[in-house]
Amino acid sequence: MRVGVFDSGIGGLTVVKSLLEHQLFAEIIYFGDTARVPYGIKDKTTIVRYAIEAVEFFKNFELDLIIVACNTVSAHALEEMKEASSCPVIGVVEAGVLATANALKNKNSNVLILGTKATINSKAYEIGLKTEGFYNLQAKATGLFVPIVEEEIYEGEVLEATFKHYFKTITAPDAIILGCTHFPLISEALQNYFSKTSLLIHSGDAIVEYLEKEFELKNRYKNPKLEFFASESPDSLKNIAKKWLDI
Ligand code: DGL
């Protein structure tokens, strides 16, 4: 299968990392809209417009599937992307909800949803989790983590101060949904702040779980063909990919 992975910028590489670890695809074509990131502070109309442009971009390749690695786009524009695309389109929100439901047997579990402003405002995770029977939910927009991670700050004072700022009124959760591409990079710091026993839901692992269940992906590809495209500074995206994905 040849798959397209779409993100607003570089963050979706965390999802590519999971895809590579599980060797699911023969070819991965990544597109990051680095010229217009962040999407997480934009409104739905703009997010949908950009997302449809990404579908148009992917029409240059004969794809079998588009994976929306971006939580913000998955929360706001998945249906519109499906309508515009000739191949299936799947997103990380549904996958994250199902991964949470599979992992937590107790419906009373306290689930903390973290994401960009746009993701949290959409209530997409909350709606999905409520449909799965969860009701003990906390949600917090934590957009500052995006530039912090892009500064390669994964621990220390700046992050601690930001945790204190955001989590003043948050009670220690049983599970944390890392509802943004960047947040897996601070997962260790988040667990140190809350509790090492909090379950973390990572979009990349969730999408792998979803793919393995929904699509019959029997073959494994040790050396998939990888191509990286960006709407701005493609070389910088390629360098980050080399570093994050160890390629
Ligand atoms: N990729 C976005 C997400 O997962 C984070 C960066 C942005 O705001 O565009 O929501």
Side-chain angles (χ1 to χ4, degrees):
M1 268 174 112
R2 177 191 278 166
V3 68
V5 177
F6 172 51
D7 183 49
S8 55
I10 58 167
L13 293 170
T14 57
V15 171
V16 174
K17 196 176 173 74
S18 300
L19 298 178
L20 291 179
E21 275 164 11
H22 290 80
Q23 306 176 341
L24 296 185
F25 299 108
E27 201 171 335
I28 300 176
I29 295 159
Y30 183 92
F31 173 59
D33 192 4
T34 47
R36 303 189 292 198
V37 71
Y39 282 16
I41 50 166
K42 295 188 168 64
D43 71 3
K44 185 178 181 72
T45 313
T46 305
I47 297 164
V48 168
R49 180 156 56 89
Y50 292 173
I52 288 177
E53 285 174 22
V55 173
E56 292 306 316
F57 169 79
F58 280 128
K59 284 185 180 162
N60 294 310
F61 310 89
E62 278 178 25
L63 296 181
D64 298 301
L65 175 71
I66 297 174
I67 296 175
V68 181
C70 182
N71 283 264
T72 303
V73 174
S74 300
H76 283 281
L78 199 68
E79 291 313 312
E80 291 83 350
M81 287 183 79
K82 283 182 185 168
E83 273 167 35
S85 172
S86 46
C87 70
V89 182
I90 62 168
V92 286
V93 171
E94 188 186 350
V97 167
L98 294 177
T100 311
N102 286 337
L104 294 176
K105 295 297 156 232
N106 184 355
K107 299 289 184 199
N108 185 36
S109 301
N110 186 289
V111 183
L112 171 61
I113 305 153
L114 303 180
T116 63
K117 211 170 246 166
T119 298
I120 298 303
N121 287 346
S122 77
K123 298 201 185 297
Y125 276 107
E126 275 167 286
I127 293 166
L129 287 168
K130 280 185 182 155
T131 307
E132 292 295 326
F134 293 91
Y135 51 89
N136 196 357
L137 309 175
Q138 304 179 88
K140 188 80 192 165
T142 54
L144 274 177
F145 294 155
V146 173
I148 289 176
V149 165
E150 293 205 2
E151 282 296 319
E152 300 185 46
I153 296 171
Y154 310 128
E155 58 180 3
E157 280 172 31
V158 173
L159 203 52
E160 288 301 320
T162 316
F163 286 168
K164 280 199 190 112
H165 167 71
Y166 280 139
F167 299 142
K168 252 181 258 151
T169 58
I170 302 288
T171 49
D174 298 309
I176 305 173
I177 296 193
L178 305 170
C180 172
T181 47
H182 291 60
F183 298 176
L185 288 139
I186 53 164
S187 53
E188 215 178 299
L190 277 167
Q191 277 195 315
N192 286 339
Y193 183 84
F194 284 115
S195 152
K196 291 217 192 317
T197 56
S198 294
L199 173 77
L200 298 184
I201 303 293
H202 177 307
S203 295
D205 296 342
I207 208 89
V208 166
E209 198 178 314
Y210 184 87
L211 283 162
E212 284 181 332
K213 201 159 160 244
E214 300 291 321
F215 296 78
E216 285 179 20
L217 302 176
K218 293 202 179 71
N219 297 336
R220 290 293 175 263
Y221 304 90
K222 277 212 170 101
N223 296 304
K225 186 174 171 212
L226 299 174
E227 280 187 276
F228 296 97
F229 296 91
S231 50
E232 187 179 275
S233 310
D235 287 341
S236 147
L237 181 119
K238 283 177 196 158
N239 287 335
I240 295 164
K242 276 189 196 139
K243 206 156 136 188
W244 285 11
L245 305 177
D246 216 4
I247 50 175

